[in-house]
Amino acid sequence: MKLMMFENGGEARLGVVAGERVTDVAACDPSLPATMIALINGGADVLKTLADMIPGAPESAILKLADVTPALPIARPGKFVCVGLNYAAHAAEGGHDIPEYPSLFPRYNSSLIAAGQPVIRPTVSDQLDYEVELTIVIGKGGRHISEQDALEHVFGYTIFNDVSVRDYQRKTKQWTQGKNFDGTGPLGPVVVTPDDLPSGASGLRITSRVNGETRQDSNTADMIFPVARIIAILSEFMTLEPGDVIATGTPSGVAHAMKPPGWMKPGDVVEAEIEGIGILSNPIIAEG
Ligand code: MG
C-alpha cells in the first residue's frame, strides 16, 4: 500500500494512493486513523482494516493526486537518524575509507519540509548539495532487535533528500550543523509498505536529478549496511519507537565531488527518485 499525508484546509490528513488517485481516509470513515503516525500506532490490524476499506471507498472521498498538496508523512518524528557513508563509491568520492561501523547523525524537525516545498539556500553559504536516500519508517518499536527480526519492525519506506551545506558540514568532524539548516530536509511524499517492495527494499534503482540532469544513479543493493543491519545497530544502543525515521545514506554523484562543484542554486528543481516508491521534487529558493 502507498500512503501519504496531504494538506486539507490547514490540517494534514491521511490518504491512500493508487495510480493517479488518492483516497481521503477520514472522508471514508472518521473512525479510521487521520494521520500516518496514528496509523502506525494502530498496528497491523488497523492497517488491514484500512486496506479492506479502500476498494469500496465512495467516489466523494477520492481526489486526484495532481490536485493534492503533500504534507510531511510524519511531521515530528520522535527520532530522525541519518546514516552517513553507506555506499562505497560515495565514501570514496568524499575521501573517506569504507566504514566498518556506520557514521550516524541526527536530523531535527526544524529542518524538515514536505515534497514540493522550497529547499532554502542559506545566506551564509552557497555550498548546497543534494543526497537521495532510501528511508525507513519504524512500525513496531524495540531494543536489541536482531538483524534476523529487524524487517518485522519496518512500517514502510519513503524518500529523503539529505540536503547538505557542505562547508558547515566540514567545519568539524561531526556533521550536525551542515545537516540541519532550516528548510533542507525534504521527506516523502509517500510511504510504501514493505509488502509492495523487495525484502529490505534492496535492489531498487535510486537516482537524483537537478533541473532534469541525472546526478546520482545507483541501486539500494549497493548499501554497505543494509536496512536490517542498520536497525540492529541502532537498537543496540537505543529504543526504536513507532514513527522513528532512519535515512540510510546516499550513493555517489553529489555536487561537491563534481569539478567544478555542481551546487544547487535558487531557481533549480531537485528530484530524488527510488524505484517502486516514487519521486520527491523540490524547488530551491534563497533565504529571505
Ligand atoms: Mg546523507
Side-chain angles (χ1 to χ4, degrees), residues 130-201:
Y130 47 82
E131 292 190 352
V132 56
E133 307 202 3
L134 173 71
T135 299
I136 306 160
V137 177
I138 292 292
K140 188 173 60 165
R143 180 85 199 277
H144 297 299
I145 299 166
S146 71
E147 197 170 335
Q148 192 181 352
D149 295 340
L151 296 182
E152 294 168 21
H153 292 258
V154 176
F155 173 79
Y157 297 95
T158 186
I159 306 170
F160 185 55
N161 189 344
D162 184 23
V163 172
S164 307
V165 180
R166 293 294 183 201
D167 47 350
Y168 276 73
Q169 180 184 348
R170 290 176 169 245
K171 276 181 188 289
T172 68
K173 280 194 165 36
Q174 54 74 28
W175 302 351
T176 307
Q177 59 276 62
K179 300 285 193 175
N180 278 287
F181 275 74
D182 284 1
T184 60
L187 179 69
V190 299
V191 175
V192 179
T193 52
D195 53 314
D196 279 355
L197 293 169
S199 178

Side-chain angles (χ1 to χ4, degrees), residues 1 16 18 21 23 28 32 47-59 61-62:
M1 198 167 9
V16 179
R21 291 148 60 101
T23 303
C28 291
L32 284 169
L47 192 62
K48 169 127 187 13
T49 303
L50 181 63
D52 291 345
M53 177 274 292
I54 291 301
E59 204 60 31
I62 296 173

Side-chain angles (χ1 to χ4, degrees), residues 4-8 13-17 19-24 61-71 115-116 189-190:
M4 75 179 294
M5 293 291 294
F6 63 93
E7 298 290 347
N8 183 286
R13 54 207 276 178
L14 180 65
V16 179
V17 183
E20 296 306 308
R21 291 148 60 101
V22 182
T23 303
D24 180 343
I62 296 173
L63 307 165
K64 284 186 186 156
L65 183 59
D67 291 344
V68 304
T69 301
V190 299

Side-chain angles (χ1 to χ4, degrees), residues 17-284:
V17 183
E20 296 306 308
R21 291 148 60 101
V22 182
T23 303
D24 180 343
V25 173
C28 291
D29 183 350
S31 71
L32 284 169
T35 63
M36 191 85 66
I37 191 71
L39 179 62
I40 294 168
N41 283 319
D45 290 350
V46 177
L47 192 62
K48 169 127 187 13
T49 303
L50 181 63
D52 291 345
M53 177 274 292
I54 291 301
E59 204 60 31
S60 60
I62 296 173
L63 307 165
K64 284 186 186 156
L65 183 59
D67 291 344
V68 304
T69 301
L72 280 169
I74 296 169
R76 303 187 70 78
K79 288 189 282 298
F80 193 138
V81 182
C82 298
V83 178
L85 310 178
N86 199 15
Y87 290 77
H90 175 59
E93 74 181 352
H96 301 276
D97 293 333
I98 293 177
E100 292 176 6
Y101 186 89
S103 299
L104 303 169
F105 58 89
R107 266 279 178 178
Y108 301 114
N109 296 331
S110 50
S111 75
L112 303 182
I113 56 172
Q117 291 183 347
V119 170
I120 300 170
R121 189 182 76 171
T123 53
V124 294
S125 173
D126 62 4
Q127 296 193 11
L128 191 69
D129 211 338
Y130 47 82
E131 292 190 352
V132 56
E133 307 202 3
L134 173 71
T135 299
I136 306 160
V137 177
I138 292 292
K140 188 173 60 165
R143 180 85 199 277
H144 297 299
I145 299 166
S146 71
E147 197 170 335
Q148 192 181 352
D149 295 340
L151 296 182
E152 294 168 21
H153 292 258
V154 176
F155 173 79
Y157 297 95
T158 186
I159 306 170
F160 185 55
N161 189 344
D162 184 23
V163 172
S164 307
V165 180
R166 293 294 183 201
D167 47 350
Y168 276 73
Q169 180 184 348
R170 290 176 169 245
K171 276 181 188 289
T172 68
K173 280 194 165 36
Q174 54 74 28
W175 302 351
T176 307
Q177 59 276 62
K179 300 285 193 175
N180 278 287
F181 275 74
D182 284 1
T184 60
L187 179 69
V190 299
V191 175
V192 179
T193 52
D195 53 314
D196 279 355
L197 293 169
S199 178
S202 184
L204 303 176
R205 190 175 183 188
I206 179 168
T207 55
S208 71
R209 292 177 291 280
V210 177
N211 302 331
E213 177 191 76
T214 298
R215 295 289 184 89
Q216 297 175 282
D217 188 353
S218 186
N219 191 289
T220 58
D222 292 341
M223 292 198 297
I224 298 166
F225 305 97
V227 167
R229 181 90 188 105
I230 291 169
I231 290 171
I233 287 170
L234 290 176
S235 70
E236 201 171 277
F237 66 87
M238 65 180 173
T239 302
L240 293 176
E241 297 170 304
D244 283 350
V245 176
I246 305 163
T248 62
T250 203
S252 62
V254 296
H256 95 96
M258 296 169 67
K259 292 182 175 52
W263 307 127
M264 298 188 291
K265 55 190 188 309
D268 288 350
V269 173
V270 63
E271 292 173 289
E273 180 167 10
I274 301 176
E275 180 185 2
I277 302 178
I279 298 174
L280 169 64
S281 177
N282 297 82
I284 314 298

